[in-house]
């Protein structure tokens, strides 16, 4: 009985993790829309330095790649748990 409770808890935590990944991808999609609307500006000496749209696009691609790698690793871990029937 204790193993079933632990397995249910593990499934719940994994589900929350997957939902958090999905939410992060949704937010990055909104960010991509904003980056696409940006236009480069000339920088005034001594003013605040903001990232250019090209720099932001690079950061966006890196964040997406990192999240994809995390998702792939999570999927690999999920299949391992399913193959073991989520036993602890």
């Amino acid at each position: 009985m204790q193993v079933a409770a632990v397995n249910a808890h593990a499934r719940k935590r994994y589900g929350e993790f997957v939902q958090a990944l999905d939410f992060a991808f949704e937010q990055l999609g909104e960010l991509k829309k904003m980056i696409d609307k940006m236009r480069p500006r000339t920088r005034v000496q001594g003013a605040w330095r903001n990232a250019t749209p090209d720099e932001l696009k690079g950061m966006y691609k890196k964040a997406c790649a990192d999240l994809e790698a995390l998702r792939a690793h999570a999927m690999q871990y999920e299949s391992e748990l399913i193959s073991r029937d989520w036993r602890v």
Side-chain angles (χ1 to χ4, degrees), residues 31-66:
L31 181 63
K32 176 73 169 135
K33 291 177 189 176
M34 186 177 74
I35 292 171
D36 289 339
K37 290 180 183 178
M38 290 181 69
R39 54 188 161 83
R41 290 188 170 178
T42 57
R43 294 180 180 167
V44 179
Q45 184 125 9
W48 285 90
R49 293 188 56 136
N50 295 333
T52 64
D54 290 335
E55 291 171 340
L56 289 174
K57 287 177 185 176
M59 291 179 210
Y60 170 80
K61 287 180 183 178
K62 183 178 181 327
C64 285
D66 291 346

Side-chain angles (χ1 to χ4, degrees), residues 3-4 6-15 77-88:
V3 172
V6 171
N7 289 342
H9 181 67
R11 279 189 215 114
K12 179 183 174 215
R13 298 265 327 243
Y14 186 79
Y77 185 66
E78 178 189 25
S79 26
E80 180 181 329
L81 287 174
I82 289 171
S83 69
R84 294 182 182 182
D85 294 330
W86 294 80
R87 292 186 186 143
V88 178

